[in-house]
Amino acid sequence: MVLGGVAVAGIAGLVVSVHEPALARIARPARENFEADSVRRGEQLATLGDCIVCHTADDGAPFAGSRPLRTPFGTLYSTNITPDELTGIGNWSEEAFVRAMKNGVARDGNHLYPALPYEHFTHVTDGDLKAIYAFLMTRRSVSRETPANDLLPGLGFRPLLAGWKLLFLRRGEFEPVMDRTAEWNRGKYLVEGLAHCGACHTPRNLVGGEERGREFDGGVAEGWNAPALDASNPSADRWTETSLHAYLKTGFDKAHGAAGGPMGPVAEGLSRVDDADVKAIAVYVAARMQAGKDRNILAIDNAVEAETRFPQGAHLFQGACAGCHETGSPMGQQGRPPLSQLTAVKMADPTNAALALLQGLPATNGRDQLMPPFAETMSDKDLADVLAYVRARFSDGPAWENLKSLITTARLED
């Protein structure tokens, strides 16, 4: 079905826009050709766009690419965006770079896969994209070939992407909302453009396009559930402009805990971004999340009932978790949030809670490790017992099911 949908889209695309012309190579511009202010602004914008995270392999130089990006359709490898002339973008003009970012077309005319989130970058101003170009073209040149993508049969045929774009690429400049503040509009521009928050926090259809009408309803990122950024978020009542700003800027908020999974590197990057822009993002997201909420907040702690139902989970919790998460514990008094406030505990899907236990919460932004991984010290059954107990004690939601199977699968995929 997936291949069939892509094929139909591809046929339509072939008729209209399969051919994109190559743009001429240029001699690599000298560093002194770029104004220092433009480079500095480009650095901030590239950090907002999280470019270094996707375009840097674990063993590689910054921006030299080759990072594996796993998708439902196979593995893509990020490209080298250093100014190397043979393996990077050193012979790309400003025009070629802007076209790639807004239309998903490489300098040589090949269509690019939407792992590059041009669905969002298409709304970014040319001026901002040219500043990012100035920043990238003044980085250290690194020669590194990008490995071949490993995709499902047929999906390596790039002209099919022209049809995908006809269906899902909605071009257009950002238009401010006139009855909103400049700060709110700046946040909207960043969230829906360079920061491309919807790329993770919006559900996708069978052919990988963001579902229209469900923007920010929640999605999946690197195996983690990216929660909704609207009023349906289970912790929406507790998120404020202040708490969102702290979470985005430091990767931690005392009422919500630490940024886990792929959100950790995002917060790491935002720690280096101008505070006014991080505040604007927080203002916009908070407005979306609090729309229509009554802010009736209840603390939940069903300790006796949960221990009766899950005695082994309660025993393990006391040994491994209570030092930080029990009411009145020494670490809890130092800023660890009550588990009843954590989105991962409130969500109907236990995936994020399971991954946090398996992988831990690593150090970010100069902080010590916030939670150690338990993958090596607890069995799948032990972890399932702990999760069942935590869900029963600190949430009023229905019990999580098939926890042991979920943990076993997550451990294998980790």
Side-chain angles (χ1 to χ4, degrees):
M1 177 178 283
V2 171
L3 292 179
V6 174
V8 170
I11 291 170
L14 287 170
V15 175
V16 180
S17 60
V18 67
H19 175 71
E20 294 285 353
L23 298 179
R25 291 184 174 89
I26 64 167
R28 188 170 97 191
R31 293 174 65 92
E32 54 268 24
N33 288 3
F34 299 100
E35 296 181 358
D37 286 346
S38 181
V39 173
R40 282 193 292 269
R41 187 163 71 92
E43 180 179 20
Q44 287 281 295
L45 294 167
T47 304
L48 278 162
D50 231 12
C51 303
I52 195 169
V53 173
C54 286
H55 289 276
T56 304
D58 289 342
D59 63 343
F63 304 109
S66 297
R67 182 182 181 89
L69 307 171
R70 294 176 179 84
T71 78
F73 314 109
T75 300
L76 296 163
Y77 290 89
S78 62
T79 54
N80 183 340
I81 55 172
T82 74
D84 181 69
E85 292 176 275
L86 295 178
T87 64
I89 60 169
N91 58 21
W92 287 39
S93 62
E94 271 189 346
E95 178 189 3
F97 182 78
V98 170
R99 182 177 74 166
M101 295 286 279
K102 302 191 91 164
N103 297 332
V105 179
R107 186 206 60 76
D108 62 6
N110 277 321
H111 292 279
L112 298 171
Y113 290 95
L116 172 69
Y118 46 77
E119 296 162 277
H120 298 270
F121 295 162
T122 193
H123 307 305
V124 179
T125 66
D126 286 3
D128 279 352
L129 294 177
K130 289 176 180 179
I132 295 174
Y133 174 82
F135 168 69
L136 292 175
M137 296 298 275
T138 54
R139 298 309 90 201
R140 180 170 69 90
S141 176
V142 178
S143 177
R144 181 164 185 173
E145 290 281 357
T146 302
N149 296 322
D150 183 17
L151 299 172
L152 294 175
L155 297 187
F157 185 59
R158 289 181 182 265
L160 292 177
L161 294 168
W164 189 94
K165 292 176 191 176
L166 285 177
L167 294 174
F168 304 117
L169 180 58
R170 288 168 283 176
R171 298 175 175 88
E173 296 294 329
F174 171 78
E175 294 184 4
V177 179
M178 301 311 296
D179 62 348
R180 292 285 193 167
T181 66
E183 186 176 45
W184 183 94
N185 274 295
R186 176 64 175 172
K188 178 178 173 66
Y189 169 73
L190 294 174
V191 165
E192 298 183 1
L194 272 177
H196 61 283
C197 303
C200 291
H201 291 272
T202 297
R204 293 183 178 271
N205 56 33
L206 288 175
V207 291
E210 293 180 20
E211 294 188 18
R212 295 188 182 185
R214 298 191 62 193
E215 290 82 4
F216 304 110
D217 272 3
V220 176
E222 298 179 28
W224 291 68
N225 288 320
L229 298 182
D230 57 24
S232 67
N233 181 291
S235 295
D237 280 335
R238 295 183 181 275
W239 284 111
T240 65
E241 294 174 10
T242 299
S243 61
L244 278 166
H245 175 263
Y247 182 80
L248 293 171
K249 192 73 174 178
T250 69
F252 181 82
D253 172 64
K254 63 182 180 181
H256 295 91
M263 193 62 202
V266 172
E268 186 78 44
L270 290 176
S271 70
R272 302 189 298 275
V273 168
D274 183 80
D275 201 56
D277 277 344
V278 181
K279 178 70 165 25
I281 292 172
V283 165
Y284 175 68
V285 174
R288 292 189 60 94
M289 295 179 76
Q290 294 173 2
K293 302 297 287 186
D294 59 14
R295 305 190 63 76
N296 180 23
I297 300 171
L298 298 175
I300 298 170
D301 192 338
N302 306 312
V304 175
E305 178 187 353
E307 184 174 0
T308 300
R309 292 173 59 194
F310 303 103
Q312 181 63 15
H315 174 72
L316 291 166
F317 180 88
Q318 288 303 316
C321 313
C324 290
H325 295 293
E326 189 61 84
T327 303
S329 66
M331 292 298 290
Q333 293 176 350
Q334 294 180 26
R336 295 294 193 275
L339 292 178
S340 61
Q341 295 184 13
L342 299 187
T343 301
V345 175
K346 291 171 171 284
M347 294 178 77
D349 187 329
T351 297
N352 287 8
L355 289 173
L357 281 179
L358 283 167
Q359 300 177 11
L361 297 174
T364 57
N365 299 348
R367 292 179 175 273
D368 294 332
Q369 185 177 44
L370 292 169
M371 190 173 83
F374 291 98
E376 299 300 324
T377 57
M378 287 192 185
S379 68
D380 292 356
K381 183 181 183 305
D382 288 343
L383 292 171
D385 287 341
V386 171
L387 286 175
Y389 171 76
V390 167
R391 176 69 166 178
R393 178 174 172 180
F394 297 105
S395 168
D396 58 359
W400 287 329
E401 298 181 353
N402 303 317
L403 286 171
K404 185 174 180 295
S405 175
L406 169 69
I407 292 166
T408 300
T409 301
R411 190 191 292 271
L412 292 173
E413 294 178 349
D414 187 13

